[in-house]
């Protein structure tokens, strides 16, 4: 009787553990597709415990199984797979390729998987955040669809034109640098931008976050004291239906000149009797490269070339005042604010201490 009781307990515990393992194994597939734990339960789903479907892929051609009911996934009924689940299973899990599956329409509802799962441009990768977390629909249930406009496949419409194209006020436009900004389109779906810069069409030269202010860096495309034109348009996933061009932006770069003031150098290393300083070129280089740095080191002025780091050795203990002046082909800019740096040990004293201590050691022997 006692052995029968023990066997019953073991059987119950085993069934309980297997059920937990099987249910908790479902999130293991969450890394294979975006918003996997954020899919709303379709209206015809069974067992939805809340608002999201924890069993995406389980069901049949008419019903989605989204939760734990009457034994749930431990029963043969709830182990059935819908359009999404059967295709996912045929890919053998680890070989599932989202970049391919994204453009497929597993449940044949007229919406590709990426559109339903918040990745309309098919750029998501495992571990990343999907572009959208709202307007998600079940990719294995043909009755569940999203109202988000598509970027690919059927029913694609051209995106709207970017708005408010402008020159950034910070950082300010210079002779050779600056940023052009615009607001993204408010209509249609888009996956990138094309640019026309001074009559030349440029494509995919930016990694813009698509749903915030767009940015184009003009450095490398401009000369000092020159006028330019710029416009931008959005494109869809297939690049076959570009949106309308924005209005033209007309702007001119500034006259090249002497560099601006630079920040004081930073002390980056300490050693007895030495001082190491690093510095960066001024935020405004005058529209051309910095050629030299003139350094006033404790009233000793010297040209240190284009170096942006230097170490002075053989120094005594004390405080040293340093300022740096940038120079380009147009002339010399203002010096950095004179800044004091401390050397805490005398180089000559440290050099004498080694033989001195060695002599004491030998005398003690």
């Amino acid at each position: 009787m006692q052995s029968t009781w023990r066997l019953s307990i073991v059987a119950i515990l085993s069934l309980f553990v297997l059920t937990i393992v099987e249910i908790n194994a479902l999130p293991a597939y969450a890394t294979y597709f975006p918003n996997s734990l954020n899919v709303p339960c379709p209206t015809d789903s069974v067992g939805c415990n809340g608002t999201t479907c924890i069993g995406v892929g389980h069901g049949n051609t008419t019903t989605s199984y989204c939760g734990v009911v009457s034994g749930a996934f431990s029963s043969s009924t709830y182990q059935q797979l819908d359009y999404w689940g059967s295709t996912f299973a045929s890919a053998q899990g680890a070989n599932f390729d989202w970049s391919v599956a994204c453009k497929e329409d597993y449940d044949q509802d007229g919406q590709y998987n990426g559109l339903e799962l918040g990745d309309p441009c098919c750029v998501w990768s495992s571990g990343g955040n999907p572009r959208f977390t709202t307007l998600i629909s079940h990719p294995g249930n043909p009755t569940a669809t999203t109202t988000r406009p598509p970027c690919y496949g059927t029913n694609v419409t051209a995106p709207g034109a970017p708005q408010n194209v402008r020159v950034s006020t910070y950082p300010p436009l210079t002779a050779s640098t600056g940023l052009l900004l615009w607001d993204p389109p408010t209509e249609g779906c888009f996956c990138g931008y094309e640019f026309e810069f001074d009559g030349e069409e440029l494509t995919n030269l930016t990694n813009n976050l698509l749903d915030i202010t767009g940015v184009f860096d003009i450095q490398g495309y401009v000369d000092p004291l020159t006028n330019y034109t710029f416009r931008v348009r959005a494109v869809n996933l297939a690049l076959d239906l570009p949106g309308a061009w924005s209005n033209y932006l007309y702007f001119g770069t500034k006259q090249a000149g002497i560099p601006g003031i630079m920040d004081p150098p930073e002390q980056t290393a300490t050693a007895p009797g030495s001082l190491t300083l690093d510095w960066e070129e001024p935020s405004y280089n005058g529209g051309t490269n910095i050629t030299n740095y003139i350094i006033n080191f404790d009233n000793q002025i010297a040209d240190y070339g284009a170096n942006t780091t230097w170490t002075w050795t053989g120094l005594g203990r004390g405080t040293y005042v340093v300022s740096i002046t940038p120079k380009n082909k147009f002339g010399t800019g203002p010096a950095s604010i004179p800044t004091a740096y401390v050397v805490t040990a005398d180089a000559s004293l440290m050099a004498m201490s080694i033989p001195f201590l060695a002599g004491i050691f030998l005398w003690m022997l």
Side-chain angles (χ1 to χ4, degrees):
M1 181 68 177
Q2 188 175 11
S3 60
T4 302
W5 176 80
R6 286 178 177 174
L7 287 173
S8 299
I9 293 295
V10 169
I12 293 172
L13 288 175
S14 299
L15 179 60
F16 178 72
V17 169
L18 286 173
T19 302
I20 291 178
V21 168
E22 189 162 8
I23 293 171
N24 288 334
L26 294 172
Y29 297 113
T31 59
Y32 292 110
F33 56 96
N35 282 303
S36 54
L37 302 179
N38 189 38
V39 176
C41 296
T43 55
D44 64 353
S45 64
V46 173
C48 185
N49 185 16
T51 58
T52 57
C53 188
I54 67 168
V56 176
H58 287 263
N60 53 43
T61 57
T62 59
T63 305
S64 296
Y65 303 145
C66 285
V68 183
V69 181
S70 302
F73 301 106
S74 61
S75 73
S76 58
T77 300
Y78 288 90
Q79 287 179 358
Q80 295 178 10
L81 300 177
D82 60 19
Y83 294 107
W84 172 268
S86 59
T87 310
F88 183 88
S90 67
Q92 298 179 349
N95 295 321
F96 182 80
D97 187 346
W98 171 249
S99 65
V100 176
C102 178
K103 298 178 182 179
E104 301 293 332
D105 180 11
Y106 286 175
D107 57 8
Q108 298 297 305
D109 60 1
Q111 296 188 331
Y112 58 103
N113 299 328
L115 179 63
E116 294 202 72
L117 290 172
D119 184 30
C121 294
C122 297
V123 295
W124 178 86
S125 60
S126 182
N129 294 320
R131 180 178 172 186
F132 299 108
T133 57
T134 59
L135 299 181
I136 308 303
S137 58
H138 198 298
N141 189 312
T143 67
T145 56
T146 179
T147 57
R148 189 181 309 285
C151 279
Y152 176 81
T154 59
N155 302 318
V156 176
T157 58
Q163 302 294 316
N164 192 24
V165 184
R166 60 202 182 274
V167 176
S168 172
T169 56
Y170 185 84
L173 186 68
T174 70
S176 61
T177 63
L179 301 176
L180 308 182
L181 311 177
W182 62 89
D183 298 333
T186 56
E187 307 89 24
C189 180
F190 62 100
C191 296
Y193 294 107
E194 290 181 339
F195 312 102
E196 185 185 283
F197 190 86
D198 213 36
E200 180 182 357
E201 190 167 310
L202 310 172
T203 305
N204 298 330
L205 295 182
T206 177
N207 291 321
N208 277 282
L209 296 175
L210 297 178
D211 301 299
I212 63 174
T213 301
V215 179
F216 182 85
D217 190 340
I218 67 172
Q219 187 169 10
Y221 293 95
V222 297
D223 294 314
L225 203 63
T226 306
N227 294 323
Y228 294 95
T229 61
F230 173 82
R231 63 178 182 169
V232 57
R233 66 180 177 182
V235 295
N236 64 9
L237 180 58
L239 300 178
D240 57 0
L241 192 62
W245 285 106
S246 68
N247 293 330
Y248 273 108
L249 172 69
Y250 301 91
F251 70 97
T253 52
K254 293 184 177 181
Q255 171 67 53
I258 63 174
I261 191 170
M262 54 189 294
D263 293 330
E266 179 182 359
Q267 186 172 352
T268 56
T270 56
S274 72
L275 176 63
T276 298
L277 298 179
D278 289 0
W279 58 91
E280 297 181 355
E281 73 170 42
S283 57
Y284 176 57
N285 62 9
T288 186
N289 295 330
I290 301 295
T291 57
N292 304 77
Y293 291 99
I294 312 301
I295 299 181
N296 184 330
F297 186 87
D298 223 34
N299 294 320
Q300 300 294 317
I301 299 174
D303 188 331
Y304 287 78
N307 293 292
T308 56
T309 184
W310 199 266
T311 299
W312 291 265
T313 59
L315 303 177
R317 181 198 306 263
T319 300
Y320 297 84
V321 178
V322 179
S323 65
I324 302 181
T325 302
K327 182 179 180 181
N328 64 15
K329 66 181 182 180
F330 295 104
T332 302
S336 65
I337 298 173
T339 305
Y341 302 90
V342 176
V343 176
T344 57
D346 192 305
S348 59
L349 179 62
M350 294 301 296
M352 292 174 57
S353 64
I354 295 176
F356 177 73
L357 291 174
I360 293 177
F361 178 73
L362 291 174
W363 176 78
M364 291 177 65
L365 294 176

